Amino acid sequence: MLDEELLSTHQQELRRGTVVLACLLILRKPNYGYALLDLLERSGFAVDANTLYPLLRRLEKQGLLTSDWNTDESRPRKFYRTSDLGAELAGTLSRDWDELHAAFHTLKDGS
C-alpha cells in the first residue's frame, strides 16, 4: 500500500505544471483570482490560494497574463487575462500534453 505522504508528494509534482496550463486556458476569458480558484477546483485542479496568487503574479511578470483592476464594485478586484504570448504558450503546451497523453497510453497498454 502506498504511503500517503509519498503519494501526496508525487501527485503534487505531477500537477504542478498542469496548473499553469489550466490557468492559461481558463483565463482566455478575464477572471479574478478567487473565481479562478473555484473554476480550477470544479475542473479537478485542487490549488491552494497561497499557491495560485504567486503563480498569477509570476505569469504576469513573464508576460503570459495581463491584468486590470475593476473598481466598479465596492471591493476592487484584479482581473487576469491570458496575453497573446500566453495563448501561444498554451497552444504549444496543449500539443505537448496531447503527445504525452498518447505516450502514457502506449506505456500503460504495454505496446
Side-chain angles (χ1 to χ4, degrees):
M1 178 181 256
L2 281 176
D3 174 86
E4 285 296 319
E5 185 177 339
L6 178 68
L7 177 59
S8 178
T9 299
H10 286 284
Q11 284 177 326
Q12 184 178 14
E13 287 296 316
L14 182 62
R15 292 178 179 150
R16 184 167 282 140
T18 61
V19 173
V20 169
L21 178 55
C23 287
L24 292 174
L25 293 173
I26 291 172
L27 291 173
R28 290 178 290 188
K29 294 181 182 177
N31 222 326
Y32 60 99
Y34 186 79
L36 179 59
L37 271 173
D38 185 53
L39 284 168
L40 287 166
E41 178 77 29
R42 287 188 287 135
S43 300
F45 294 90
V47 180
D48 186 76
N50 292 329
T51 300
L52 181 63
Y53 290 105
L55 172 64
L56 292 174
R57 286 190 295 274
R58 180 173 58 86
L59 294 176
E60 184 178 19
K61 187 176 180 180
Q62 292 172 335
L64 302 172
L65 296 178
T66 60
S67 68
D68 291 299
W69 282 98
N70 180 339
T71 56
D72 295 340
E73 298 178 25
S74 61
R75 184 177 182 178
R77 293 181 174 161
K78 190 173 188 178
F79 278 74
Y80 293 91
R81 182 183 188 109
T82 303
S83 68
D84 291 343
L85 182 61
E88 184 179 343
L89 179 64
T92 300
L93 292 178
S94 292
R95 286 186 294 280
D96 288 349
W97 178 265
D98 291 341
E99 291 173 9
L100 287 169
H101 184 259
F104 277 116
H105 273 285
T106 300
L107 289 174
K108 285 173 48 179
D109 294 343
S111 307

